[in-house]
Amino acid sequence: MKFNFLQKQTSRREMLRGSATLAGSAFLAHLFPARLLRASVGGYPQPTPSPAALLASMRAKFNAVPIETQKLADNITMFDGPGGAVTVLNGPDGKFVVDTFVAPAWPRLKEALDGLGNAPLKYVINTHWHFDHTDNNPHLHAAGATVLAHENTKKDMSAPHDLPVLYRGPDGVPAGLHFDPSPVEALPQQTFAASYELQANGETLELQHVAPAHTDSDIYVHFQKANVISMGDLFFNGMYPYIDPGTGGTISGMIAVADKTLSLAGNDTKIVAGHGPLGNKADLTKSRDMLITSRDRVQKLKSAGKSALEAVAEKPFADLDSAWGQGIINSDQWVQIVYLTL
């Protein structure tokens, strides 16, 4: 993962590519190579950053990304930036917001939402539990919105999570992330088990839970009239995705939900990815095909008795890396993610 943005200003895309991996990433330590963790005085290593420091750094790196605005329909807007994508349905019935960016981005998110007009905030929909999609729940709820999510999102946010990494710091201590249970004000006030429908601003929003894929809490939001599907982290456009084995993620689930979404989409459907540019059916098809190839190659190595690190050494994605390995997750990380989520 590139860190040029730590030394100089770069384009927004380069900043996104250099930003932190997602919540729950078992490979966060690639963000903190040993050269960044060693003391500059005397050449002695400093202790590995604490889980809190690692998480703060992730939020700061996400927050370094500017917000870009894209109109998807007359009443639907996408804000892309500090923590992925936020999709907003706006109109006389109020604002319906899908996902929330990271906490430090709240002032900019509020400004962007206010810029859409004076309609009140009505609902915030979390596509899953990870912090870059739920961080600003408290602010949005305090501003009047009801936070709506799958019941597993509330369950996962209510529990502590320790997420280790496949790395030891300069002091030999494993580095990782720790998430305390989210405060009550951050938790969804309304949940559902399978599906949920909202009618607002002349639009029908279908919220559909899927079998464990990126996590066990994932939903997509289908704006049926506008022909827009917001997928959260069920879709990383143009890059290897992160899949969270700690809360039930599986690569087969990612493939299955891609197939499900492709059955709903036409050639003119706008598909909002959790990370990456706005996509379409062709983009999601390419991502699905990459997932199938990745699964099959790593399954063959695993079935042959290879360990995860031995699978990495085989370089099974060498021909894919130029197209897919330049984003949040690099090739070696992706091999291990696939291995752990088979």
Side-chain angles (χ1 to χ4, degrees):
M1 197 169 293
K2 297 177 177 65
F3 274 81
N4 292 338
F5 73 92
L6 295 175
Q7 285 82 39
K8 62 180 181 179
Q9 291 187 346
T10 60
S11 69
R12 181 191 172 279
R13 179 170 292 276
E14 287 169 331
M15 291 170 73
L16 177 59
R17 288 175 175 172
S19 67
T21 57
L22 301 182
S25 173
F27 313 101
L28 176 65
H30 286 268
L31 296 174
F32 296 90
R35 64 181 175 81
L36 296 181
L37 297 172
R38 293 193 179 95
S40 61
V41 179
Y44 292 103
Q46 289 185 342
T48 301
S50 68
L54 293 174
L55 183 55
S57 181
M58 290 175 74
R59 284 189 166 103
K61 289 180 174 66
F62 273 128
N63 192 46
V65 180
I67 293 177
E68 294 184 354
T69 301
Q70 190 167 352
K71 200 79 169 173
L72 306 186
D74 288 342
N75 56 356
I76 298 178
T77 302
M78 182 180 83
F79 299 128
D80 188 23
V86 171
T87 311
V88 185
L89 170 69
N90 180 51
D93 295 327
K95 293 168 184 163
F96 294 70
V97 182
V98 181
D99 291 334
T100 78
F101 291 151
V102 292
W106 168 244
R108 290 187 291 148
L109 176 58
K110 182 180 185 302
E111 182 181 13
L113 291 170
D114 289 347
L116 295 178
N118 296 325
L121 286 163
K122 292 293 287 187
Y123 273 94
V124 173
I125 301 166
N126 297 147
T127 58
H128 63 292
W129 77 271
H130 284 159
F131 75 95
D132 51 318
H133 299 259
T134 61
D135 254 3
N136 286 305
N137 284 0
H139 292 296
L140 290 157
H141 179 53
T146 297
V147 180
L148 172 64
H150 186 261
E151 59 191 15
N152 284 350
T153 293
K154 186 171 184 178
K155 177 199 73 175
D156 290 337
M157 291 178 68
S158 300
H161 296 277
D162 287 294
L163 304 166
V165 297
L166 302 181
Y167 168 86
R168 288 184 182 270
D171 56 1
V173 177
L177 283 175
H178 173 78
F179 292 89
D180 291 324
S182 297
V184 172
E185 58 268 23
L187 299 177
Q189 291 87 47
Q190 187 174 339
T191 64
F192 61 94
S195 61
Y196 196 86
E197 186 175 288
L198 290 167
Q199 299 279 344
N201 300 320
E203 181 61 82
T204 299
L205 291 75
E206 178 195 0
L207 285 59
Q208 182 65 53
H209 181 242
V210 301
H214 173 65
T215 69
D216 65 0
S217 62
D218 303 299
I219 66 169
Y220 63 78
V221 182
H222 187 189
F223 299 87
Q224 294 181 343
K225 181 179 178 181
N227 198 16
V228 172
I229 303 174
S230 184
M231 292 189 69
D233 286 355
L234 295 168
F235 179 32
F236 285 59
N237 192 10
M239 64 185 80
Y240 294 135
Y242 178 65
I243 306 172
D244 183 356
T247 48
T250 73
I251 189 167
S252 292
M254 292 287 283
I255 294 166
V257 76
D259 284 335
K260 167 68 174 175
T261 308
L262 288 169
S263 73
L264 298 173
N267 292 333
D268 57 348
T269 302
K270 297 179 176 71
I271 304 178
V272 179
H275 297 269
L278 180 68
N280 56 29
K281 187 170 186 176
D283 295 322
L284 184 57
T285 300
K286 292 175 184 176
S287 179
R288 187 271 317 270
D289 292 347
M290 177 275 292
L291 292 171
I292 291 172
T293 298
S294 299
R295 179 197 61 189
D296 292 350
R297 290 180 184 180
V298 175
Q299 183 64 71
K300 184 176 180 180
L301 294 170
K302 191 170 185 177
S303 297
K306 301 283 188 182
S307 70
L309 293 180
E310 287 170 337
V312 169
E314 294 283 334
K315 300 294 182 187
F317 305 143
D319 58 323
L320 304 178
D321 290 342
S322 61
W324 299 96
Q326 307 305 309
I328 292 173
I329 299 296
N330 68 31
S331 180
D332 289 353
Q333 294 167 340
W334 179 231
V335 175
Q336 296 175 77
I337 290 169
V338 175
Y339 192 99
L340 289 171
T341 59
L342 283 169

